[in-house]
């Protein structure tokens, strides 16, 4: 027969009397429920974060910045300090430099008129094409690839 003493009931199990604290069990259950809720919340946060890292389309402003960078890179490649070397270039290098200059002009004009991410992407593609022509001109001159050659 259990005895009551200061909120603890005593039971007799297997020859020993040991206290059974009902309030302590309820408190422990509260901690278990809290731990489960925190675990579920952490799992939800991880899933939400992974979904937010999916590749997404560039905004108009991001696309403009990227296109501007490629056009500037092309322009810098056209005005290299080695211009004296390029002055005596062969027909292949001269043609490639002419194509690169035309791409730079067209990309600059397209960049100035662009308002959407797709239009800015067109300017980026033109600038990257111009950088490919610069790489071809350097290869024809035997001066190695341009640093901006990695345009993809």
């Amino acid at each position: 027969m259990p005895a009551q003493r200061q909120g603890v009931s005593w039971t007799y199990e297997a020859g020993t009397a040991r206290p059974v604290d009902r309030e302590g069990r309820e408190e422990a259950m509260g901690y278990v429920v809290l731990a489960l809720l925190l675990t579920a919340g952490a799992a939800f946060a991880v899933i939400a974060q992974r979904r937010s890292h999916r590749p997404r389309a560039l905004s108009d402003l991001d696309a403009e910045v990227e296109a501007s960078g490629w056009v500037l890179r092309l322009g810098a490649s056209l005005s290299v300090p080695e211009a004296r070397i390029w002055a005596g270039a062969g027909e292949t290098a001269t043609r490639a430099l002419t194509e690169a200059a035309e791409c730079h002009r067209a990309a600059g004009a397209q960049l100035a008129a662009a308002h959407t991410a797709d239009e800015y992407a067109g300017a980026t593609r033109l600038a990257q094409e111009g950088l490919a022509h610069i790489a071809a001109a350097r290869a024809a001159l035997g001066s190695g690839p341009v640093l901006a050659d990695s345009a993809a």
Side-chain angles (χ1 to χ4, degrees):
M1 174 187 229
Q4 293 287 334
R5 191 170 133 204
Q6 296 179 357
V8 177
S9 63
W10 291 80
T11 60
Y12 184 77
E13 290 182 12
T16 59
R18 68 172 220 234
V20 176
D21 185 2
R22 294 182 202 275
E23 291 174 6
R25 282 188 182 173
E26 290 173 4
E27 186 176 336
M29 287 300 290
Y31 286 127
V32 169
V33 170
L34 179 64
L36 289 173
L37 288 174
L38 288 174
T39 303
F44 178 76
V46 167
I47 290 169
Q49 184 179 18
R50 285 187 180 168
R51 285 186 180 169
S52 71
H53 286 292
R54 289 184 179 158
R56 56 189 163 126
L58 291 177
S59 70
D60 291 347
L61 183 59
D62 289 337
E64 180 182 6
V65 168
E66 183 178 348
S68 295
W70 284 108
V71 171
L72 286 173
R73 197 173 199 177
L74 175 57
S77 294
L78 283 169
S79 61
V80 294
E82 307 152 0
R84 284 174 281 155
I85 297 172
W86 289 20
E91 184 181 332
T92 305
T94 303
R95 187 176 30 233
L97 288 172
T98 303
E99 292 288 329
E102 180 59 28
C103 285
H104 183 258
R105 186 205 58 75
Q110 192 167 357
L111 180 64
H115 296 292
T116 66
D118 288 337
E119 292 169 344
Y120 289 120
T124 298
R125 281 190 297 278
L126 276 172
Q128 290 172 342
E129 181 184 332
L131 287 168
H133 290 298
I134 293 287
R138 286 186 177 250
L141 289 171
S143 56
V146 69
L147 292 176
D149 183 42
S150 61

